[in-house]
Amino acid sequence: MDVLFILDFDGVLFNSAYEAFTVSRKVVSSDDAYRQDVEYDEFLAFRSVVTDAWQYRRLFSRTSQVQREALHLVEPNADDWEFARRFFAARKELMQDPEWPKSMPPYDFFLRLKPLLLEHPTQFAILSTRNIQSIRQTLQFHDADVVPVFGQEDIRKAGSKREVARANGWLEKGAHLTVYLDDMNSHLEPFEGAVHLPLHADWGYDRNTPGSLSEHQVMTLFRSLIALSKRQKLAVAA
């Protein structure tokens, strides 16, 4: 059975929170409808429950602000979608700078993983709430744009990360030995019982749990599973 590794992007491969903060600040700058006093620490805490760019409005808005604990209960309205449109327009403008990917430093995990991505691109996929273009531009900057990428556009169409995985056949029983790695506990929970190994990264934005794994532990596991998959294929061929 082939092993398939599904990877989150933000908080697993790249530390992109400050980039999102910079984009958000660009959107709300000099607009009296939005708070100008949001500090990075407050943004980072709120970021841990964000699944779509429109939700940042509910942190910065002076009149429609919600607490992070209640964010999952909020349905987006026209103002939220307009904020999201402006958010992606602002990001696109910033991305014109060829040095833009440097605003998202890679974790050591990505640097360790990159050789495996290049050697086994069909065994990896990225599944992220970030927009696809920004993911691909970042991977291109690091000479690693070799794996399938599924982003916020796909999640909006399908309804959730899990539904994107289901639509791609990643959850079919017996099709793959599927590993899903995310730093967000709330994103992992829907995959419990659906994939063979839902793994929580201890180096991202969310709180650690007793089962969280370090970069070294995850890399050891990935290498072991790839080696095991190779041995099984050789045994079948023989």
Side-chain angles (χ1 to χ4, degrees), residues 89-225:
R91 173 176 282 167
K92 187 174 183 179
E93 183 179 338
L94 291 171
M95 287 171 60
Q96 299 308 306
D97 182 351
E99 299 293 296
W100 168 81
K102 290 184 178 180
S103 66
M104 298 186 293
Y107 288 104
D108 287 344
F109 176 73
F110 171 77
L111 301 177
R112 295 174 180 175
L113 182 68
K114 181 179 172 181
L116 290 183
L117 296 179
L118 298 176
E119 186 177 355
H120 307 281
T122 61
Q123 292 186 256
F124 290 88
I126 291 174
L127 177 57
S128 171
T129 57
R130 173 176 283 271
N131 62 308
I132 295 171
Q133 182 184 3
S134 67
I135 295 172
R136 287 213 172 277
Q137 186 165 326
T138 304
L139 293 175
Q140 289 167 7
F141 184 82
H142 291 275
D143 298 318
D145 186 17
V146 296
V147 303
V149 173
F150 299 86
Q152 188 166 110
E153 300 92 330
D154 300 293
I155 294 171
R156 285 182 180 175
K157 290 177 184 177
S160 68
K161 277 190 167 185
R162 175 170 171 151
E163 284 303 300
V164 173
R166 185 194 61 76
N168 281 281
W170 300 339
L171 307 184
E172 291 180 12
K173 299 299 182 184
H176 310 279
L177 193 164
T178 309
V179 181
Y180 176 53
L181 177 66
D182 204 310
D183 67 309
M184 304 293 293
N185 288 292
S186 61
H187 291 180
L188 278 171
E189 289 167 2
F191 286 88
E192 293 285 348
V195 299
H196 295 88
L197 290 174
L199 306 178
H200 183 253
D202 75 355
W203 61 88
Y205 308 131
D206 206 355
R207 68 189 186 284
N208 293 339
T209 65
S212 299
L213 299 181
S214 69
E215 298 177 51
H216 175 73
Q217 289 172 316
V218 173
M219 280 304 307
T220 299
L221 179 61
F222 279 20
R223 291 192 182 104
S224 297
L225 289 174

